[in-house]
Amino acid sequence: MTTKEWALYYAAQGFAVLPLKPPRMPGQKKPGKEPMTAHGVLDATTNAEMINQWWDSCPDANIGIATGSRSGGLVVIDLDIDEDRGINGYEILKDWQREHGNLPDTLQSITGRGGYHIFFRDSEKHSNRAGLYDGIDIRGENGYIVAPPSLHESGRRYEWEQGPDEYQIAQADDKVKEFLSGPPSESKAVGFQM
């Protein structure tokens, strides 16, 4: 399928999408991740006519999926892996799950750098949070993620590991919400003392 066909497919599943500049466009701060529209994620839509116009004008555009209420309460756990910097969000999540229990099976994609996006739905609004844990960000209200089969600046494509053809998006249960709340702060862990 072409990126336009994928964008239309995502929109039909209730994901609001937006076109992102392809990584080969000059002058980008975040190649392959910058919105092409005037208002960025605020322009994300499920309107097929608009999506057709965007991808007809730039067939190589990457696909952004809006998170939060624009896409029915979508919240995404973004696990970064950067061996050069010693960051492995996937291992941090595995360690957390060994201690607290497993998160439910759900949609999961592999990013262009080899990290992961793990998709959940929640009626609660979640803020975007960078560095919730080491190498782990949260994409929530007014955020977005890059979706398969978008092209990363490395030349790798984003791809589904557990895709929409085989998995439903899991509802955020108590374990997910516990994870999304982040690690206990030092004052909570030690106890407040006067």
Side-chain angles (χ1 to χ4, degrees), residues 7 10 15-20 32-33 41 44-45 54-55 61-67 71 143-148 150:
Y10 295 144
F15 295 127
V17 299
L18 67 151
L20 306 176
K33 297 182 178 183
V41 72
T45 185
W54 284 335
W55 270 271
N62 276 349
I63 304 168
I65 292 178
T67 52
S71 291
Y144 66 93
I145 52 106
V146 182
S150 297

Side-chain angles (χ1 to χ4, degrees), residues 18-21 28 30 32-43 144:
L18 67 151
L20 306 176
K21 295 176 185 177
Q28 295 185 63
K30 292 187 170 192
K33 297 182 178 183
E34 291 182 25
M36 294 181 71
T37 63
H39 304 107
V41 72
L42 300 179
D43 292 324
Y144 66 93

Side-chain angles (χ1 to χ4, degrees), residues 142-158:
N142 293 321
Y144 66 93
I145 52 106
V146 182
S150 297
L151 183 65
H152 187 265
E153 65 178 321
S154 66
R156 290 180 53 179
R157 290 209 173 265
Y158 290 72

Side-chain angles (χ1 to χ4, degrees), residues 15-169:
F15 295 127
V17 299
L18 67 151
L20 306 176
K21 295 176 185 177
R24 309 272 188 271
M25 286 181 107
Q28 295 185 63
K29 290 179 185 164
K30 292 187 170 192
K33 297 182 178 183
E34 291 182 25
M36 294 181 71
T37 63
H39 304 107
V41 72
L42 300 179
D43 292 324
T45 185
T46 57
N47 180 291
E49 187 178 325
M50 188 78 253
I51 294 165
N52 276 307
Q53 284 178 26
W54 284 335
W55 270 271
D56 287 346
S57 70
C58 185
D60 294 335
N62 276 349
I63 304 168
I65 292 178
T67 52
S69 56
R70 290 181 179 282
S71 291
L74 182 64
V75 59
V76 174
I77 298 171
D78 181 1
L79 306 177
D80 292 328
I81 297 177
D82 186 338
E83 291 176 12
D84 294 340
R85 293 185 3 219
I87 294 172
N88 192 326
Y90 183 74
E91 288 301 321
I92 299 291
L93 175 60
K94 279 174 53 177
D95 290 346
W96 187 93
Q97 289 183 116
R98 274 192 284 277
E99 189 174 328
H100 300 273
N102 290 334
L103 302 183
D105 280 340
T106 188
L107 289 188
Q108 183 170 305
S109 65
I110 302 171
T111 69
R113 291 184 61 160
Y116 296 89
H117 287 153
I118 304 173
F119 293 63
F120 293 99
R121 289 216 189 270
D122 196 359
S123 55
E124 266 182 56
K125 287 189 178 180
H126 295 274
S127 298
N128 294 297
R129 294 179 67 187
L132 180 65
Y133 301 87
D134 193 29
I136 300 177
D137 301 330
I138 303 302
R139 300 287 173 241
E141 201 61 28
N142 293 321
Y144 66 93
I145 52 106
V146 182
S150 297
L151 183 65
H152 187 265
E153 65 178 321
S154 66
R156 290 180 53 179
R157 290 209 173 265
Y158 290 72
E159 59 185 289
W160 287 109
E161 179 165 85
Q162 296 176 181
D165 54 335
E166 53 188 326
Y167 284 84
Q168 296 290 321
I169 298 179

